[in-house]
Amino acid sequence: MEWRKLPRIVVIGGGTGLPVLLRGLKQYPIDITAIVTVADDGGSSGRLRSELQIPPPGDIRNCLAALSEVEPLIESLFQHRFRNGNELSGHALGNLLLAAMTSITGDFVSGIREMSKVLNVKGKVLPAANRAIILHAELEDGTVVTGESKIPNANKKIKRVFLTPSDVEPLPETLEEINNADLVVIGPGSLYTSILPNLLVSKIGQQLCHSKAKKVYVCNVMTQAGETMGYTASDHVKALYDHLKCAFLNSIIVNDTELPKAVLQRYKLENAQPVKYDKEKLENYGLEIINKDLVQIKNGVIRHDTEKIANVIYSLL
């Protein structure tokens, strides 16, 4: 099979959800492009962002690691986080390498490209923009919270999120990939702080609305405190549609497994509960619903199962 004949999948998101999906997808004969948020302002990424004036590298780093085809030791090295040393403490080596590569090549996107070669990455990892963006949330009570890491801490219902600068430009390559895709996958990931920051880059949102590709949303398994408390699956869809002002999805993938009571009890302490799968409302949106057992529970943490979710997505092609 020739490389260019492979089906093309674009995956959009950030946070911990996107790498889980990419790790599974790279096992299949597909052409993968990941479009990743650059709104992060916490932790190692946030420090490098403010000290070096570069886009935050953390989410990009996790996606590069997930798609890399190198020895496990090299991947562990890239993902290694320093624990000691004042200046180095908390930094992931991969974040520092991306910062160095940005400095050497003179630009963040070129830095990612070169790092992709070093890590033998299968597919492409593209930032939603070639610069850092600031995410703001307008809450139901009218107050505005600035900064991706601060939004969940406000612990109030979010009315909408928006970016500054509002006219931030995506890479032409990103728009081209969405345009040429056979399938666009949104999520899994934090709705307001990982997924929407990509879609709010206005041309990316517009391209999604007009793209002829099949578009599927991978709904989160659990709600998130300070972001989606009490949200059903259709509430997630409504938030996406309200922000993009168009109904762009064809399908939604929802988890359909009974979760162990002990694990749910632990999540309850963090103000999180399973996302309710409200079939009727989803059908009213005209969505094809794919409900399956998709989870893996490891050390009491609920995640999408890499292989199961990748298999479902590949079957949509």
Side-chain angles (χ1 to χ4, degrees):
M1 191 186 271
E2 283 179 65
W3 174 248
R4 66 174 171 278
K5 296 265 172 67
L6 295 179
R8 305 172 82 133
I9 292 190
V10 169
V11 189
I12 303 177
T16 52
L18 192 55
V20 168
L21 184 54
L22 296 175
R23 217 168 266 285
L25 284 177
K26 78 171 172 190
Q27 311 304 332
Y28 290 89
I30 49 178
D31 182 348
I32 308 170
T33 299
I35 298 170
V36 189
T37 175
V38 279
D40 189 8
D41 62 356
S44 165
S45 276
R47 281 161 64 194
L48 291 169
R49 169 182 174 147
S50 60
E51 285 168 26
L52 302 176
Q53 303 301 305
I54 61 168
D59 284 355
I60 299 271
R61 179 194 90 244
N62 286 327
C63 292
L64 289 173
L67 288 173
S68 70
E69 296 190 317
V70 287
E71 295 297 320
L73 188 62
I74 301 292
E75 191 191 325
S76 301
L77 181 68
F78 188 65
Q79 291 287 55
H80 176 72
R81 202 175 281 280
F82 294 98
R83 298 278 170 242
N84 314 355
N86 289 346
E87 296 300 317
L88 279 177
S89 183
H91 277 308
L93 181 61
N95 287 357
L96 299 174
L97 289 171
L98 277 166
M101 209 56 113
T102 300
S103 177
I104 292 165
T105 60
D107 142 85
F108 189 55
V109 174
S110 307
I112 296 168
R113 232 171 249 138
E114 293 307 316
M115 207 68 237
S116 298
K117 291 179 197 165
V118 172
L119 291 168
N120 193 19
V121 163
K122 179 185 173 175
K124 273 185 202 155
V125 178
L126 301 170
N130 200 5
R131 50 167 300 167
I133 46 187
I134 299 168
L135 184 68
H136 312 267
E138 183 188 339
L139 308 175
E140 285 280 291
D141 65 4
T143 53
V144 172
V145 181
T146 293
E148 184 261 356
S149 59
K150 297 184 185 69
I151 290 169
N153 302 339
N155 239 340
K156 289 180 183 161
K157 204 161 162 43
I158 296 169
K159 186 176 171 189
R160 65 175 188 120
V161 285
F162 58 99
L163 305 176
T164 51
S166 58
D167 60 350
V168 66
E169 285 283 325
L171 304 168
E173 194 178 343
T174 302
L175 300 179
E176 208 172 295
E177 290 296 341
I178 295 171
N179 195 34
N180 296 332
D182 296 300
L183 178 67
V184 178
V185 184
I186 319 283
S190 305
L191 178 63
Y192 290 106
T193 52
S194 289
I195 292 173
L196 279 166
N198 294 298
L199 308 186
L200 289 174
V201 173
S202 67
K203 287 183 183 167
I204 292 182
Q206 286 163 17
Q207 193 78 333
L208 258 188
C209 290
H210 298 136
S211 161
K212 290 183 172 58
K214 187 170 185 180
K215 285 155 281 201
V216 58
Y217 174 54
V218 183
C219 191
N220 288 345
V221 179
M222 303 297 288
T223 62
Q224 280 178 287
E227 272 204 55
T228 52
M229 288 183 293
Y231 272 43
T232 62
S234 72
D235 290 331
H236 284 74
V237 174
K238 183 181 186 306
L240 291 169
Y241 285 7
D242 286 351
H243 279 79
L244 261 68
K245 307 209 178 356
C246 78
F248 61 94
L249 295 169
N250 303 103
S251 320
I252 183 168
I253 298 174
V254 285
N255 176 58
D256 195 9
T257 332
E258 277 291 312
L259 298 163
K261 286 199 168 58
V263 176
L264 291 181
Q265 205 50 44
R266 226 206 66 203
Y267 270 86
K268 204 174 174 182
L269 299 172
E270 296 170 17
N271 267 337
Q273 64 199 58
V275 171
K276 196 165 145 271
Y277 155 46
D278 48 347
K279 186 166 182 273
E280 213 166 291
K281 281 195 177 167
L282 291 172
E283 283 171 348
N284 289 343
Y285 278 119
L287 293 172
E288 172 198 13
I289 304 165
I290 301 149
N291 53 321
K292 288 194 172 333
D293 162 15
L294 294 170
V295 296
Q296 175 190 43
I297 298 169
K298 212 172 171 183
N299 305 325
V301 178
I302 300 168
R303 287 256 182 276
H304 276 100
D305 181 292
T306 303
E307 286 167 22
K308 288 179 189 168
I309 189 74
N311 187 274
V312 170
I313 284 168
Y314 186 67
S315 73
L316 291 174
L317 282 167

